[in-house]
Amino acid sequence: MAAHFGRRLRKGAATTAVAAAAVAALSASQAPGATGDDHGRQATAGASAPVPDPTGDDATGNSPYYTDLPPLNSPNPSPSPSAGTPVAQGAAEAGIPATVLDAYKKAEAELRASKPGCNLPWQLLAAIGKVESGQARGGEVDASGTTLRPILGPVLDGNGFALIKDTDHGAYDGNAQYDQAVGPMQFIPSTWAWAGRDGNGDGKKDPNNIYDAALAAGHYLCRGDRDLSQAADLHGAILGYNNSQDYLNTVLSWMEYYSKGTYSVPDGTGAAPGHRSDDGTPRTNPSTPAEPANPHQGKPGSKDQGGRPSPSPTPSKPGGGQDGGDPAPRPPGTPDPTTPTPTDTVDHLENAGTATAELTATAGDAFTGTISTRAETKAGAAVARVRIRFTISGDTDATFTGGEDVATVATDSKGVAKAPALQAGEKTGDFKVTATVVGRSLKGVDYQATVTERPADTLTATTNGGTPLTCTPGGEFADQVQLKATYKGAIADKVAATATLIKSATDATENDKGPYFKDATTGKAVRTLTGLKTDAKGLLTLPKLYADDTTGTFLLRVTTPGGGTLTVQLRVAADGTATASPSPSPSASAGS
């Protein structure tokens, strides 16, 4: 199960060698969507050390995971198998429970539409689901995809695992003291709070539901404009889920295996894995001292080898003890849960120099300002290694880089956390970004941001190459008014425009007679149109104009944010010589 800051018991050197051998043996074919030769593989020689997730908010708190590896032989005997090809029923490891498999494929389809540049293969979700929960314990889910029994990781109390104090008041994991990874994709509650998705359309975001969890995992892996068809991004995404080279090798092995062929099996009949990274064997890691077996094995909150929660006759005490007894021993180097963490020492947050003037951007553009927050003690000292969550709220489609509206970043040595760059959407107006401390109920810091309309400073008439519009009283103009918008000489696309039939060059109020547009729904006469927008070429063609029985010369004025103004003369005559020609308005703020 996977990622967070802190430590996790890792597989032994012997198992690592087996994983590496499996990856090498299975690397003859590439994973789906691969463009590089090493996609879906992990070389053992010169392999880079695990890279922490740069956002500082990981998926599952470095909980243990299943270490079972796929068979060395391909599940499909065909010499040129295609990804996802059904295979013989005898290849049990290639069978994926029907509902679970459907959830993975639906998540891939949604990500293909919302983040096509990520190139997420469902086989990656299946590989992670395999090592996290054995495909939801072999598909023990109901018709909607919700697990029949809770799937919980160990208590993350710092005793052999990361120290993550309760963030959800026990809502997801039933533990009001410490967090535990939850569900088939093993999200910790603090990560689910921002990463959760509604994958089955029931209006809820439930980490115990495989559709919700698979979609959330897909978005989690696709953060930061990753392209998972590139080996570096693929490996970084997996290491972000669980910062362990052994975990990376295991996931890649299963992803490679599933890419060569899978088949659907009935829910509840999938092959269950039998070995986990905390199965009671002493652990070693090249970069850390040998670690003893998981002290939570067989204790409340842990899982047996089938992935089932162990009996919990009495609640566990902080530190791992039961019934008031002595705490279980902690592996060397793990934090003491009774010692205040950096998060515990934070008294308040401060704006770290972000000016309101920097948080304004034109629709569709990136904000140039950076939101920075500083974590401080009561005495004003900086607090490093604290997770700060930035949340966008309000009626806006602005996002952080990567398309998310929530981002979590760890404070640096100066106690400062900088939010990812903001990207304005198409909705204009004000919205808010709030910085809070993950795991604490401290007052947050609000930052006001504004998205302004796209501007155009010049409007030029292009109506049919200058051909006059003609109309008689009670008739319709033969052609439509078209114009081109530019801003500082460049094409101005997606610029909002308003067209009004005005009384005179000096009176811009709406005229109550003369030419008019028709309401698209009722067909009634309207003399002001809003919600117009220029196209990708900066062009705007107005709807047809009609004339009532009043003859004479009339004015149509088009305006845009940024000062663009164009005034068009319209003449209605009984002899049919009516024309439409551009005429600059005395009050125009830009050229016509």
Side-chain angles (χ1 to χ4, degrees):
M1 304 159 209
H4 209 89
F5 62 90
R7 298 170 59 130
R8 183 194 54 75
L9 298 179
R10 296 179 171 88
K11 294 171 22 211
T15 308
T16 303
V18 174
V23 173
L26 293 170
S27 62
S29 68
Q30 296 182 355
T35 59
D37 291 339
D38 59 350
H39 177 72
R41 313 169 197 165
Q42 176 63 33
T44 56
S48 60
V51 179
D53 191 321
T55 64
D57 205 10
D58 308 307
T60 68
N62 283 343
S63 298
Y65 59 89
Y66 288 108
T67 60
D68 299 62
L69 294 169
L72 293 178
N73 296 325
S74 168
N76 191 333
S78 171
S80 301
S82 59
T85 302
V87 298
Q89 294 291 318
E93 294 85 354
I96 299 178
T99 299
V100 177
L101 181 59
D102 184 57
Y104 296 149
K105 292 185 176 181
K106 277 184 167 57
E108 179 197 55
E110 196 279 340
L111 267 298
R112 189 186 302 121
S114 63
K115 295 185 178 180
C118 179
N119 294 306
L120 172 77
W122 67 261
Q123 289 88 346
L124 173 58
L125 296 176
I128 291 176
K130 179 70 173 180
V131 303
E132 293 297 343
S133 67
Q135 311 297 19
R137 294 199 194 101
E140 290 188 359
V141 296
D142 62 20
S144 68
T146 301
T147 56
L148 300 179
R149 293 172 295 139
I151 301 176
L152 295 176
V155 177
L156 299 176
D157 60 1
N159 197 359
F161 305 98
L163 173 59
I164 305 177
K165 295 185 178 180
D166 176 64
T167 62
D168 68 331
H169 305 291
Y172 293 120
D173 55 17
N175 191 330
Q177 288 184 300
Y178 301 98
D179 272 352
Q180 294 175 250
V182 180
M185 301 303 276
Q186 289 289 278
F187 279 94
I188 53 172
S190 62
T191 299
W192 185 259
W194 64 265
R197 292 292 191 280
D198 177 13
N200 61 353
D202 64 357
K204 298 185 295 183
K205 300 176 182 179
D206 183 4
N208 298 294
N209 182 277
I210 185 59
Y211 288 99
D212 295 357
L215 183 59
H219 278 276
Y220 181 91
L221 294 163
C222 286
R223 290 178 302 158
D225 295 327
R226 285 176 176 142
D227 178 0
L228 300 184
S229 68
Q230 302 299 316
D233 283 358
L234 173 66
H235 295 179
I238 297 171
L239 287 170
Y241 216 91
N242 185 329
N243 186 23
S244 162
Q245 197 73 42
D246 294 336
Y247 181 87
L248 172 66
N249 289 343
T250 306
V251 169
L252 290 177
S253 295
W254 281 107
M255 179 178 171
E256 187 81 15
Y257 184 74
Y258 288 143
S259 75
K260 295 176 181 178
T262 60
Y263 66 97
S264 174
V265 299
D267 291 342
T269 65
H275 303 88
R276 297 198 312 165
S277 56
D278 62 341
D279 62 5
T281 306
R283 308 299 173 199
T284 60
N285 185 280
S287 60
T288 59
E291 297 173 322
N294 174 21
H296 290 278
Q297 185 68 27
K299 292 186 178 182
S302 67
K303 294 182 285 186
D304 61 23
Q305 290 187 350
R308 299 171 176 79
S310 298
S312 302
T314 57
S316 61
K317 306 293 184 182
Q322 296 187 46
D323 303 321
D326 294 333
R330 292 189 307 278
T334 57
D336 184 344
T338 63
T339 301
T341 66
T343 300
D344 295 329
T345 66
V346 177
D347 177 75
H348 60 275
L349 297 178
E350 293 285 349
N351 182 338
T354 302
T356 302
E358 298 176 342
L359 298 181
T360 299
T362 300
D365 290 347
F367 285 77
T368 57
T370 300
I371 295 178
S372 298
T373 300
R374 176 180 160 95
E376 297 182 353
T377 65
K378 190 172 184 179
V383 184
R385 295 182 293 112
V386 173
R387 292 180 297 153
I388 305 299
R389 178 168 295 133
F390 297 93
T391 306
I392 298 173
S393 61
D395 184 17
T396 181
D397 55 356
T399 64
F400 293 113
T401 299
E404 306 291 347
D405 58 9
V406 178
T408 305
V409 181
T411 56
D412 59 19
S413 60
K414 297 180 180 179
V416 175
K418 294 183 179 180
L422 278 171
Q423 175 68 41
E426 293 302 321
K427 286 186 178 180
T428 59
D430 299 330
F431 65 93
K432 183 171 63 176
V433 178
T434 302
T436 56
V437 179
V438 176
R440 294 289 303 279
S441 298
L442 299 175
K443 181 180 179 180
V445 177
D446 292 334
Y447 301 83
Q448 298 297 324
T450 302
V451 178
T452 59
E453 294 181 300
R454 295 170 183 258
D457 56 18
T458 303
L459 302 179
T460 306
T462 61
T463 305
N464 296 314
T467 302
L469 299 181
T470 60
C471 186
T472 58
E476 66 181 54
F477 286 87
D479 298 301
Q480 294 167 254
V481 174
Q482 185 183 70
L483 56 89
K484 182 176 181 179
T486 57
Y487 182 68
K488 296 182 179 179
I491 290 174
D493 65 327
K494 299 182 182 179
V495 174
T498 299
T500 307
L501 290 147
I502 61 176
K503 290 185 176 180
S504 69
T506 58
D507 185 355
T509 57
E510 182 181 283
N511 206 340
D512 57 359
K513 58 184 178 181
Y516 61 90
F517 301 104
K518 283 186 179 180
D519 182 271
T521 302
T522 65
K524 293 183 178 180
V526 292
R527 291 184 169 87
T528 298
L529 294 179
T530 59
L532 304 171
K533 280 195 174 182
T534 61
D535 63 16
K537 297 180 180 179
L539 297 177
L540 172 63
T541 301
L542 300 183
K544 277 192 173 184
L545 279 161
Y546 301 84
D548 60 16
D549 294 333
T550 308
T551 60
T553 299
F554 302 90
L555 297 179
L556 169 66
R557 179 167 293 169
V558 183
T559 59
T560 58
T565 303
L566 175 69
T567 302
V568 177
Q569 285 188 345
L570 300 175
R571 184 178 299 164
V572 180
D575 61 3
T577 60
T579 61
S581 58
S583 174
S585 165
S587 61
S589 58
S592 61

